[in-house]
Amino acid sequence: MGYGGWAADARADESSRFGTEAFYAALGRAFVTMCAIVPVLFLIEAIDVALGPGTLDLAGGIIPRSGEGIDGIFFSPFLHDGWDHLYGNAVPLILLGTFVLAGGVRRAIWSTVLIIAVSGVGVWFIGDPQTVVVGASGVIFGYLGLIFARGLVERSWWHFAVAGFIGLLYWYQLFNVLPTDQRISWQGHLLGLVGGVVAAVVFRRKA
């Protein structure tokens, strides 16, 4: 390994150690980045409202077992069923996304892609074909699973602490991985959680 690669690995290792200056710097950069990303979702929702509420949802949402809705696997996380739906997802997305992104930009991107794919493909196969599924909830549950599983595979106690803290804040949402409400895609939540655990294993930091 060249000096550049060794230095990059050393910086990544330092930023993953709780309490170090590099750790807090990475966390700060990640928080700023997430605060810049989430407003894009509000812009997309504003465009949807301007075109006619639900126009983009129908065009880019997942329609289970329909050829017309298969492209929604990757588009649906950017769409929401109204402002209340988006507001409910915005804060946990910023919180969880900050800690995921702080673990490394490349790992965060690939982990997000994997979570979206597992959640989206699963919803397309087993979701209700009479629905159009949109929202970032699958990604949010995926991030929660990712952070918790990183605590196991990377033996990082602070990942457990973050997952536990956010789990306590949104404990009532955790029941949404079960089939309780027809308007909630529990399939996307459950499979997003599974995708996050898989991503933690696949993209774990090597010792």
Side-chain angles (χ1 to χ4, degrees):
M1 179 184 294
Y3 175 76
W6 177 85
D9 286 345
R11 288 193 298 269
D13 183 62
E14 185 70 12
S15 66
S16 68
R17 294 179 183 173
F18 181 83
T20 64
E21 184 176 340
F23 173 85
Y24 291 118
L27 208 59
R29 289 192 298 270
F31 179 73
V32 171
T33 301
M34 290 305 301
C35 286
I37 290 174
V38 169
V40 175
L41 302 182
F42 281 86
L43 176 60
I44 293 172
E45 184 60 26
I47 293 173
D48 183 45
V49 171
L51 293 174
T55 300
L56 293 182
D57 297 346
L58 289 173
I62 299 173
I63 304 175
R65 297 188 292 283
S66 168
E68 295 180 358
I70 198 168
D71 56 347
I73 290 171
F74 286 100
F75 290 137
S76 63
F78 303 97
L79 304 170
H80 288 82
D81 183 24
W83 295 111
D84 288 343
H85 187 200
L86 179 52
Y87 290 141
N89 282 342
V91 174
L93 186 60
I94 289 175
L95 290 176
L96 290 164
T98 293
F99 287 97
V100 171
L101 191 58
V105 175
R106 184 179 299 177
R107 284 207 305 166
I109 292 173
W110 282 111
S111 295
T112 302
V113 170
L114 181 57
I115 289 167
I116 289 174
V118 171
S119 176
V121 170
V123 168
W124 190 85
F125 272 108
I126 67 174
D128 183 352
Q130 304 302 317
T131 62
V132 178
V133 181
V134 295
S137 299
V139 174
I140 291 170
F141 275 84
Y143 283 169
L144 185 61
L146 172 64
I147 292 172
F148 180 81
R150 275 185 182 174
L152 291 174
V153 300
E154 298 182 11
R155 297 179 176 86
S156 172
W157 68 266
W158 72 264
H159 279 98
F160 282 127
V162 169
F165 175 70
I166 295 177
L168 286 174
L169 285 178
Y170 296 97
W171 63 269
Y172 57 92
Q173 294 285 2
L174 297 180
F175 293 102
N176 289 335
V177 299
L178 302 174
T180 56
D181 189 332
Q182 291 183 350
R183 284 188 54 81
I184 296 176
S185 177
W186 63 269
Q187 300 97 331
H189 297 168
L190 178 59
L191 292 166
L193 192 70
V194 171
V197 173
V198 173
V201 175
V202 174
F203 303 115
R204 66 188 180 279
R205 179 167 283 127
K206 302 299 189 295

